[in-house]
Amino acid sequence: MAEQRLSAEIPGLAGLDTAALDLLVRPVWVLDPAASRNVYANRAALAFWEAASVEELAARSHADMSATSRARLDETVRRAENGEVVADRWTFYPHGRPVTLDLLQSAIRLPGGGVGLLVEALPAAVDPVDRRAAEALRYATVVAVLYDEDGRPLFRNPAALAVYPGDGHRFADRFADRADAEAIWQRVRGGETVSTFMRVETAAGERWHGLDARQTTDPVTGRPSVLVNERDVSELKAIERRLVERERQLVEAQEIARLGDWRLDLATDRVRLSLSLAAIWGVDEREVARPVLLERVHPEDRASLDLFLRRVASDGLTKEISFRLVDGRGAVTHLWQRCGPHRNARGRVVEVIGIARDMTEEMRSRERADFLSYHDGLTGLVNRVCFSERLERELKRGPGGD
């Protein structure tokens, strides 16, 4: 809420008709923002501040105001210097007593050349709930902005003023991706409530904000408006990026090592596989029913693997097993698996978790080594070692041996 000053010239404090102002029942005072002191007050203002004189009032400092109040005051001074008469609501605490006032604040030139605020006050006609709500909004760290139908800000709480200082911008102007911002605006104006994450340009540079936007009604004009709440989630996005990178590195390592991890949910009887292990099992989905996986196990190993998993769940012990997979073409894959129980807060086993490694290459190498130890590498015929061992066995059996 603001009114434009008719003249850009800032009047001086020395030109005030203090005698006339003393006749007013409305409190009027002048604040020196740099010194955080009131340097003038009419009689009504002295009564409000419970000060015997202007000198006594000027001796009191407001330098202990919160950072939120300071940011709000600085924004008011900036707007007043630009010629606005700024209407706002403040709660003051003369001698610890909370009093809420509606203020009209305009710029006034101080004797030293600085700019002060000429403050005209009226008691705020609001109920306690509204007063508390307004105070909570002012001190909230959430960025809250109310926009008009054209995307111009009608209201910004102090957190929004700190993040998006200055005037003249519209909703889409502060987003790194303007096209996405305009798409969100159209969705909200169409009646949709939008919650998303966006990159925004702030006073601190580019940041990630979680954004909630919905259409509402401006309580002053009755026209449609858009309320936007934002919170800085840059640290969470940075953590997310690190987790994604670690997940990528883990997937690469598992693919190189031909291993993976899995979790069997005992309540649903479904298994969640890592990306690399899903490829080893030859399944497209990373979460499949346990019976579907068992169908891919070699028929000779299927029952023993099923029993093995049930015993891990019932005994609550960590165990190992080796078994074979077989695909539709008959190709065999050898797997080694180690798994154990995962318990909930009550100590009940709710999952079986484990790791598995493709041992096919090792098994083939071992079989090849065993073959070459008894056969010639070129001809494939039994070698001297094999012949000697066979001969020794036959001699031990003796004549007529079976």
Side-chain angles (χ1 to χ4, degrees):
M1 295 180 290
E3 299 173 5
Q4 285 297 127
R5 185 185 298 278
L6 296 179
S7 172
E9 184 67 25
I10 298 177
L13 177 59
L16 286 182
D17 187 343
T18 57
L21 291 177
D22 280 340
L23 298 176
L24 298 177
V25 296
R26 176 186 300 185
V28 176
W29 67 86
V30 174
L31 171 67
D32 182 346
S36 298
R37 298 179 188 276
N38 294 322
V39 296
Y40 166 77
N42 69 351
R43 287 179 182 175
L46 290 174
F48 168 75
W49 288 108
E50 299 181 20
S53 65
V54 173
E55 290 73 22
E56 178 186 334
L57 181 62
R60 303 176 189 174
S61 173
H62 303 301
D64 61 347
M65 72 175 66
S66 68
T68 299
S69 294
R70 171 55 65 179
R72 187 177 166 202
L73 177 61
D74 290 344
E75 175 66 11
T76 300
V77 173
R78 184 192 66 79
R79 292 170 61 186
E81 283 188 285
N82 288 336
E84 290 187 35
V85 177
V86 182
D88 204 354
R89 179 169 291 162
W90 284 77
T91 299
F92 299 99
Y93 299 85
H95 292 294
R97 208 170 25 87
V99 180
T100 301
L101 297 176
D102 285 330
L103 307 181
L104 289 177
Q105 302 160 97
S106 54
I108 189 167
R109 186 70 64 187
L110 300 175
V115 175
L117 285 178
L118 176 63
V119 181
E120 307 169 54
L122 278 176
V126 292
D127 62 37
V129 173
D130 287 342
R131 288 169 59 185
R132 288 172 179 146
E135 200 71 1
L137 181 60
R138 290 190 179 106
Y139 285 91
T141 57
V142 174
V143 172
V145 185
L146 184 68
Y147 293 93
D148 68 11
E149 297 170 275
D150 296 322
R152 290 186 292 261
L154 294 168
F155 167 81
R156 291 177 288 171
N157 72 337
L161 291 171
V163 173
Y164 303 120
D167 295 321
H169 72 276
R170 298 196 180 192
F171 173 81
D173 295 341
R174 53 195 177 79
F175 291 89
D177 191 325
R178 187 180 181 87
D180 283 350
E182 290 177 345
I184 290 173
W185 180 260
Q186 293 303 320
R187 289 168 60 190
V188 175
R189 292 289 285 119
E192 184 178 350
T193 297
V194 176
S195 296
T196 187
F197 297 99
M198 297 285 287
R199 288 183 297 118
V200 294
E201 301 292 345
T202 73
E206 186 173 287
R207 306 287 292 177
W208 276 96
H209 277 194
L211 177 147
D212 298 307
R214 69 195 67 223
Q215 187 161 265
T216 184
T217 301
D218 179 9
V220 175
T221 65
R223 300 291 302 169
S225 58
V226 172
L227 176 63
V228 179
N229 296 320
E230 300 175 34
R231 58 206 177 279
D232 193 321
V233 296
S234 301
E235 294 303 319
L236 292 178
K237 295 296 288 188
I239 292 172
E240 181 183 59
R241 287 194 298 271
R242 290 196 292 270
L243 289 176
V244 170
E245 175 60 20
R246 288 179 183 177
E247 176 72 14
R248 185 191 64 80
Q249 293 173 353
L250 177 61
V251 169
E252 288 183 352
Q254 289 187 346
E255 289 177 349
I256 293 172
R258 295 288 293 165
L259 60 80
D261 59 275
W262 55 271
R263 308 180 76 94
L264 168 61
D265 187 325
L266 298 178
T268 63
D269 204 26
R270 295 182 67 82
V271 182
R272 181 166 180 79
L273 305 165
S274 66
L275 190 63
S276 58
L277 193 55
I280 292 172
W281 277 85
V283 293
D284 296 328
E285 302 293 330
R286 292 184 58 184
E287 184 174 323
V288 294
R290 182 180 57 86
V292 173
L293 289 184
L294 287 176
E295 290 176 2
R296 297 177 177 271
V297 177
H298 195 287
E300 296 177 4
D301 299 340
R302 191 174 298 156
S304 61
L305 177 61
D306 189 29
L307 179 62
F308 169 83
L309 293 173
R310 296 180 186 277
R311 283 181 174 173
V312 171
S314 61
D315 298 345
L317 301 175
T318 299
K319 300 181 180 182
E320 297 180 9
I321 190 174
S322 295
F323 57 94
R324 294 164 293 173
L325 305 178
V326 59
D327 64 17
R329 298 172 297 176
V332 174
T333 300
H334 294 264
L335 282 186
W336 166 86
Q337 183 167 274
R338 180 179 176 85
C339 59
H342 174 68
R343 305 176 187 274
N344 62 14
R346 298 180 178 178
R348 178 185 174 188
V349 178
V350 293
E351 289 181 317
V352 176
I353 60 176
I355 58 173
R357 185 169 180 232
D358 184 349
M359 301 293 292
T360 305
E361 293 300 323
E362 287 87 340
M363 293 297 295
R364 290 173 180 170
S365 297
R366 187 179 304 167
E367 291 171 357
R368 179 65 176 166
D370 290 343
F371 178 83
L372 291 177
S373 64
Y374 291 101
H375 296 78
D376 182 80
L378 294 176
T379 65
L381 300 176
V382 294
N383 60 17
R384 185 172 182 175
V385 174
C386 181
F387 177 78
S388 298
E389 289 184 0
R390 288 183 180 180
L391 178 61
E392 185 177 354
R393 285 197 302 269
E394 292 298 323
L395 291 175
K396 287 182 178 180
R397 290 168 63 187
D402 293 335

